[in-house]
Amino acid sequence: MEEVDSMNDAEIMLQAQAEVYNYMFAFADSMAIKCAVELRIADIIHSSGHQILLSEIANNIESSSSPDINYLSRIMRLLVRRKIFTAATSKGGDTLYGLTPMSRWLLHDTEQSLAPMFLFENNPILIAPWHYFSNCVKGGGIAFKKAHGCEIFEMASKDDELNKIFNNGMKSMTRCIMKTIVKGYKDGFNSITSLVDVGGGIGAAMTEIVKAYPHIKGINFDLPHVVSTAQTYDGVEHVGGDMFEAIPPADAVFMKWVMHDWGDEDCVKILKNCRKVIPEKTGKVIIVDAVLKSESEDLFDNIKFILDMVMIAHSSGGKERSEDEWNKLLKEAGFPRYNIIDIPSWSSIIEAYPQ
């Protein structure tokens, strides 16, 4: 019996060793996918309309006169194993590469694409703060500031390229969720005639809302350097300002992925400013953010906890919150009543009412 137990223990430890190796090199998956996105491999395959040879992929890589087939084949081998691409053998014995549902999310210039956000999150500037987690645990502080000497929004206001990839990344994420929100919150949008999107970036969310509900007067509100790059949309007014100072008035306030960027104290300030500009009896704040559920095993639950780590790396004290944390935060800001609407996404819709 002791020998069996010893064998079981050995197997358990061997399995654990393999899992630690997987975690040790987990970044390799992200870097291989980033390479594929930068080279537009999914787009090359998609534009051909069928499975293609490795040499065809190589020949269509932009700005490359002599691509290294050896490197490309090894990267593709891993990505096939990760089900990013498919590989099949032709009648002649050659390997043909095709798309999978995952690689379709990595196409550029499509309405439903995560490619811009993938490039943003895996940019060296964004990766650097992750190396300061232990430093933050020991002495507190902001990981991004420890890595770069300033916080992310300050850097973006001074760095046009970072501002561009940030806005493009958020725009791509917004497009992915807004169809779900517009469809899943029909009753909520029908009842309002004006809406201000606080932290609305370059207006992607508000544009989708006004498109679906043209009776709504839309205001896209963000920092001046952000809205200065926004395109003109019918039914949407772009307003620059600071949500910690004042927010444009409307029937309701919409905030998507804003609260999780800030600590509780800052969130209360923002919410109190929201409360000032909506009607006391009929007004509401519509929050789109994660609601952590420790015992749940839904499709997007794991990513919610990963995103909480992203908040440590990139935000100014932000975090993802459980329902109890949301309840406490909203009450402190003057919203005694709330309603959580689950949608097929890592985010939920949280309605907060001043009465």
Side-chain angles (χ1 to χ4, degrees), residues 18 29 42 66 89 112 129 131 145-146 160 168 172 191 202 213 221 240 243 255 261 282 306 315-316 346:
D29 288 342
S66 56
T89 304
Q112 299 283 291
H131 295 282
K145 191 171 185 177
K146 288 177 182 290
D160 290 342
N168 287 341
S172 74
S191 62
I202 53 177
Y213 304 93
F221 180 70
M243 63 188 173
M255 287 193 291
D261 282 331
T282 60
I306 293 172
S315 75
S316 303
W346 58 268

Side-chain angles (χ1 to χ4, degrees), residues 220-236:
N220 178 58
F221 180 70
D222 211 312
L223 294 167
H225 78 270
V226 176
V227 297
S228 67
T229 64
Q231 296 178 4
T232 301
Y233 301 106
D234 289 340
V236 178

Side-chain angles (χ1 to χ4, degrees), residues 11 24 46 61 120 189 192 209 220 264 266 300 317 347 353:
E11 289 174 2
M24 187 187 303
H46 182 256
I61 293 173
F120 172 70
F189 288 129
I192 57 178
I209 293 170
N220 178 58
D264 291 348
D266 284 327
F300 289 99
S347 300
Y353 299 94

Side-chain angles (χ1 to χ4, degrees), residues 130-143:
W130 290 86
H131 295 282
Y132 288 82
F133 274 29
S134 58
N135 193 295
C136 288
V137 170
K138 289 177 182 178
I142 306 298

